[in-house]
Structure formats: structure tokens, C-alpha cells
Amino acid sequence: MDLNNTAQMKEYDPKNMLNQVYSLPELIEVLLSRDFTIPSHIKTDKFEVSYVEKPNSIIICGMGGSAVSGDYVKVIFPLQIPVTVIRNYNLPKFVGKDTLVCLVSYSGNTEETLSCLLLALEKGCPVVGISSGGYITRFFEENSLPHFEIPGGFQPRAAFPLIFLALVKIFQSFDMISLQGTAIDELLYNLRDIRDQCRPDVNLPENSAKNTAMNLFQKIPVIWAPYGCVANRIKCQFNENSKMLAISEELPELNHNHIVGWEGYEKNDYPFLVLAIRFPTEHQYVRLRFEISKRIVSPKCELIEVHGKGVHLLSQLLSVTYLFDFISIYLAMLNHKDPSTVSSIDYLKRELEERKQTQSKVIEALQRLS
Ligand code: F6R
């Protein structure tokens, strides 16, 4: 596979995920200009929710590519109130009428997220939906509940920045955060800069995303980052886009467990490659920990450093995330895999539905509330 041959690249990316990723900066601009308002009160025959008071906690429910945006919002916009990301069927016990529950599902049909919606309504929580269609869109529209519609036609994971900004807009509409114009300008500038450097018609060796993908070919990526959400997102992109396993670790935590694991390996036992994701905002002691950790691991394994760009945390985290969207797609092509397909996820969803009608049962229960 030749990453300088655009015809060959298209063959391995028939649904054109590269183009989806390419289009993001402009879509981000459109989404940022959108108004989003929250109603004060919704009352139907079956449930009643109030949006008047400021919430005293926030729950973000979602799975996979839809859930990661919740992790990023928590880090980039720290709030005075607790924010919890739930990747499961149930809500925590503390959830009540003062808890804002955001239901995030790109497809709008993920059963774990639908199950949380049902429980949230039963508890009288103010709910907000984010989806591009499916049952969530239908339910929120039918019941006049606040819903942020994301553009369709993407793989959920490719739409990550759009889902992230939808959450930001929702938090803004509750006056919980403010988004500075300079931070947005910096973000858009850096995303476009990365795109210009990594676009498919920029050849090796100039294209840094293609270079990193070549370095990672037939390796096992071990991702270290001082923000766990970034390490996890990159791992998930390698899993879902590139169809390969990867390890994600956060600093300083990895210094208390993962680092000891390396004692069991000699040089070249396994084809690991450490990706150290660095940020100007990392804690000074974390900086030192990176240096010492590198010294421990470098006799056994190759290590590449990649840096988040910008002054604002928003740009630092999203720019490096965007770079790895490109890298993971190029790596999929090198692996002769289509970056868009997720056959195992589709199989699991089908099997669950066939064996226990898991999704249909949740939808039936929601229909009774509708
Ligand atoms: C698929 C992907 C998955 C989905 C997950 C939940 O592109 O990224 O991780 O995000 O299966 O589905 P949605 O996002 O539709 O709720």
C-alpha cells in the first residue's frame, strides 16, 4: 500500500472517512453559529421536567464515540458542580430532579443511552438530547424536549468535535461556561493547519500523519498522555479505524502501575511503540515524570513525542486529537482495512437484539412514556 497513491488510498476508504474528517473545521464553524435555547418547563401526561433552576450536577450518558466528548468537556471546561460520564445502562443513585442528564448518541439508537433516558425521565430529571437521527431525535421532537441535532452521514467517532461542541453549546445555554472568541479562532486555525499538512494529496515524507502511520505499522501503540481522555480517544481510533489493539495510559497514574509492567520485557520482545502525547499545560511534575518514564522505557522500545498545539486547552486537546484522526485512517489503509466499518460492533448489536430484543424493549418502555 502506497500512501502517496491517492487512487489506492480511495480503494481502502470507500466511504471516504478522510473526507468526513477533512470537512470538520467548516462544520465546526456552522455549528458554533447555531442558537440553542432551553425551555423552562415540559409537562406531558406521563412526565414533567423543569429546566428553571441551575442543575447541581450533570450526567453525560453515551457509549463509544459519543461518550468521549463528555470526557473532553469535563477536562476543558471544569465546572463548579460534579460532571459524570456514564457508559452503561444505569444512572447513579444520587441522580434527581436537580441533575441535568445529557443523552448523547450519534445514531440515536444505542440501547444503553436509551435506557438512561428512560431512567432519567422516571426520576424527573431535566434531559437534553444530542443525536443525528434515530430514536433519540424522534423521542425528543415528539415530546418537545430540548435536542441538539448533529449533521448526519458520519461515523459517530468521526463526528467527535461536533458532538463535543453540541455539549459545549448546551452548557453555555445554562450559563455554566463561556467560550472565548480567541480560543475558537485558535482552534480553527490549528485544525486547518493540521489539515493542510496531513491532507491526502500531501505526500511522504512531508505529511506528518502519514509518517507517524508508517512508524506505527505492525506495531502495538502504547499511548501516554497527561489527559486520560486524549489517550483513550487515540486508543479507540486505532481500535475502530485502524482495526488494531492499543494501550492507553494517563500520567501520573501510569507511574504507579504500567511502568512496572515494562520490567517483564526485554528489547524487541513485542513490537510496542510508545506515543508520548505532550501539552504545554501539563503539570511541571508531570513533565519531569515524562522524562524519567522515557528513560525507563527507551532501552526497550521506540518512543515518539507528539505535541498538542495552542495556548488554550481547547486547541491543545482538539488539535492533537484531530491529528490522530488522520494518522489512524492512514494506518487503516496500511493495514488494508476500511476505516469506516465496525463489523464487530454491528454483530454485537444484532446478536443482542436477536437474543433478547434488548433495544426494542427499551424503546417500547419509552413509547409508553411518550
Ligand atoms: C462507531 C463508533 C462507536 C459508537 C458506539 C455508540 O463509529 O464510534 O463507538 O459511537 O457504538 O453508538 P452511537 O454513537 O451511535 O450512540
Side-chain angles (χ1 to χ4, degrees):
M1 165 72 211
D2 177 6
L3 285 181
N4 289 344
N5 180 333
T6 33
Q8 250 189 39
M9 284 160 63
K10 279 201 181 110
E11 230 175 87
Y12 287 109
D13 184 18
K15 299 190 188 71
N16 215 344
M17 187 182 265
L18 261 180
N19 197 45
Q20 295 180 5
V21 167
Y22 189 91
S23 67
L24 285 170
E26 286 68 36
L27 287 170
I28 288 174
E29 265 181 323
V30 172
L31 202 141
L32 280 169
S33 64
R34 218 195 275 173
D35 283 333
F36 185 72
T37 46
I38 294 284
S40 51
H41 203 81
I42 301 286
K43 187 171 171 4
T44 72
D45 300 345
K46 310 274 174 56
F47 62 84
E48 183 171 1
V49 288
S50 169
Y51 296 85
V52 179
E53 297 298 329
K54 278 242 165 80
N56 62 14
S57 59
I58 297 178
I59 299 281
I60 300 166
C61 305
M63 302 303 298
S66 289
V68 284
S69 39
D71 301 330
Y72 275 68
V73 169
K74 269 182 74 167
V75 172
I76 299 174
F77 300 101
L79 298 184
Q80 303 284 1
I81 56 172
V83 180
T84 313
V85 181
I86 298 291
R87 294 169 157 92
N88 217 320
Y89 289 90
N90 288 320
L91 294 175
K93 286 259 186 297
F94 66 79
V95 166
K97 288 188 168 51
D98 299 331
T99 314
L100 174 68
V101 181
C102 303
L103 291 309
V104 189
S105 168
Y106 185 78
S107 65
N109 291 324
T110 298
E111 64 183 41
E112 295 93 323
T113 316
L114 292 174
S115 160
C116 290
L117 168 61
L118 179 64
L119 296 175
L121 289 171
E122 285 170 357
K123 283 171 177 270
C125 306
V127 290
V128 183
I130 299 177
S131 60
S132 70
Y135 191 74
I136 293 216
T137 302
R138 206 173 104 201
F139 185 88
F140 276 75
E141 278 173 2
E142 275 175 12
N143 293 287
S144 308
L145 289 163
H147 175 258
F148 201 108
E149 179 120 12
I150 305 285
F154 282 71
Q155 275 298 317
R157 57 191 178 279
F160 156 74
L162 308 178
I163 302 173
F164 165 83
L165 285 168
L167 271 175
V168 170
K169 289 290 242 184
I170 291 168
F171 284 16
Q172 269 184 315
S173 67
F174 281 92
D175 277 334
M176 291 189 287
I177 59 173
S178 70
L179 191 52
Q180 292 171 356
T182 49
I184 296 169
D185 292 347
E186 183 185 58
L187 170 68
L188 289 168
Y189 177 86
N190 282 329
L191 293 184
R192 289 193 169 113
D193 192 39
I194 287 169
R195 178 171 73 177
D196 287 346
Q197 289 172 35
C198 302
R199 47 194 287 166
D201 55 350
V202 176
N203 284 342
L204 284 159
E206 280 76 30
N207 190 317
S208 60
K210 290 182 182 177
N211 270 323
T212 309
M214 297 283 283
N215 279 327
L216 283 164
F217 181 54
Q218 294 184 330
K219 301 271 171 58
I220 304 168
V222 178
I223 308 136
W224 293 354
Y227 303 105
C229 58
V230 177
N232 178 52
R233 159 71 180 185
I234 296 172
K235 178 204 81 93
C236 294
Q237 291 294 76
F238 287 141
N239 296 154
E240 293 182 72
N241 289 351
S242 323
K243 278 58 175 183
M244 55 198 275
L245 296 177
I247 297 168
S248 77
E249 294 288 339
E250 183 175 352
L251 263 92
E253 175 64 14
L254 76 82
N255 282 173
H256 300 271
N257 33 65
H258 167 87
I259 201 71
V260 186
W262 286 95
E263 292 175 20
Y265 298 89
E266 296 304 326
K267 191 174 167 65
N268 299 333
D269 269 357
Y270 288 92
F272 293 122
L273 190 151
V274 172
L275 285 164
I277 317 293
R278 311 292 305 267
F279 297 91
T281 40
E282 66 197 26
H283 192 286
Q284 52 167 323
Y285 297 160
V286 165
R287 196 161 307 145
L288 182 58
R289 283 176 179 277
F290 260 119
E291 296 318 316
I292 302 170
S293 306
K294 272 162 54 182
R295 205 177 305 150
I296 294 173
V297 168
S298 57
K300 306 190 176 195
C301 156
E302 200 187 327
L303 189 143
I304 300 178
E305 286 210 350
V306 185
H307 294 256
K309 285 175 148 199
V311 175
H312 298 92
L313 205 49
L314 179 72
S315 165
Q316 287 177 27
L317 267 58
L318 265 59
S319 65
V320 82
T321 303
Y322 192 50
L323 172 65
F324 275 92
D325 286 356
F326 284 99
I327 295 171
S328 62
I329 297 173
Y330 291 133
L331 197 47
M333 293 169 176
L334 289 173
N335 289 337
H336 292 190
K337 301 287 180 203
D338 176 349
S340 295
T341 56
V342 280
S343 314
S344 308
I345 298 179
D346 298 339
Y347 170 72
L348 266 154
K349 288 184 179 175
R350 263 196 328 271
E351 278 287 301
L352 277 154
E353 190 57 22
E354 268 170 32
R355 292 189 197 187
K356 294 263 183 227
Q357 292 81 49
T358 48
Q359 186 203 43
S360 309
K361 282 179 188 156
V362 185
I363 290 181
E364 271 167 34
L366 279 165
Q367 277 306 104
R368 287 194 287 275
L369 269 189
S370 193

